[in-house]
Each structure stands twice: as C-alpha cells, then as structure tokens.
Amino acid sequence: MATLIDYNTFLANVNADDLAMLTTFITNVDVQAADAANADALFTQAQRLYSAGLLTELRRIYRDDGSGNLVQSYTGVVSPPAAGYVARLARERVQLSRDPLP
C-alpha cells in the first residue's frame, strides 16, 4: 500500500469526482462504468486514489451483461484515515455553511 497523504494535501488536491468515488466506496457500493472509455477514466482515477494511500484495496471487476458484452465495475476499500478525511471535510463544509455572513 502507498503512503497515505496528509489532510492538507488531500484538501488541496481532492475534487468532486474523487469525493464521489470515495463516498461510493465508503458506502460499500461498486463504481459502475457506462462504457470502455468511462471505465478506463474511472480506473485511472481509482488508481490515483490508491497511489495516494486513500484506498487500501482496489479491484477491477468484469462481468457479462447477458448480451455477450463485458461490463466493468470497481470496488475499493477506503483506508480509515481517508474516511476520516472525507468526514472532516464534510463537517468543515457544513460548519462554513452555517457561519453567518459578515
């Protein structure tokens, strides 16, 4: 497993797609790909998260859709500290949304 990035690095580099993928994995749902190009893009993103130490496990799954087509999906396990980063970021965003404007 890669060395986990720290929270400040996570905060500086995370984007909405990363948060969506991490949240999907946290809730134990596979990431589904619509087509081959999308599958490759999603897997590249998942590999980047794995390399940053945010995932402890990543698996690419191929299955037959019943029509002879292979459909790809991904499953991953988010490291406990990374799940904490996602929760902390959510908490900070909620706090900011509740702060009164000057």
Side-chain angles (χ1 to χ4, degrees):
M1 184 178 119
T3 302
L4 179 67
I5 60 173
D6 63 24
Y7 181 70
N8 290 330
T9 303
F10 170 80
L11 195 59
N13 293 294
V14 72
N15 61 46
D17 291 335
D18 293 340
L19 288 173
M21 183 173 282
L22 289 168
T23 303
T24 299
F25 288 151
I26 288 169
T27 58
N28 201 31
V29 175
D30 293 348
V31 172
Q32 303 290 323
D35 56 42
N38 181 249
D40 290 340
L42 289 171
F43 194 66
T44 298
Q45 177 187 3
Q47 285 179 311
R48 188 173 44 77
L49 296 174
Y50 182 83
S51 295
L54 300 172
L55 301 176
T56 58
E57 185 177 311
L58 176 61
R59 292 190 180 153
R60 192 174 205 169
I61 302 163
Y62 296 93
R63 65 178 173 76
D64 189 314
D65 69 357
S67 301
N69 300 312
L70 285 178
V71 178
Q72 296 180 52
S73 62
Y74 309 95
T75 185
V77 176
V78 177
S79 71
Y85 291 175
V86 173
R88 180 176 170 186
L89 178 58
R91 184 179 65 246
E92 289 171 355
R93 287 187 177 181
V94 166
Q95 182 62 43
L96 286 173
S97 71
R98 292 181 179 170
D99 285 345
L101 295 173

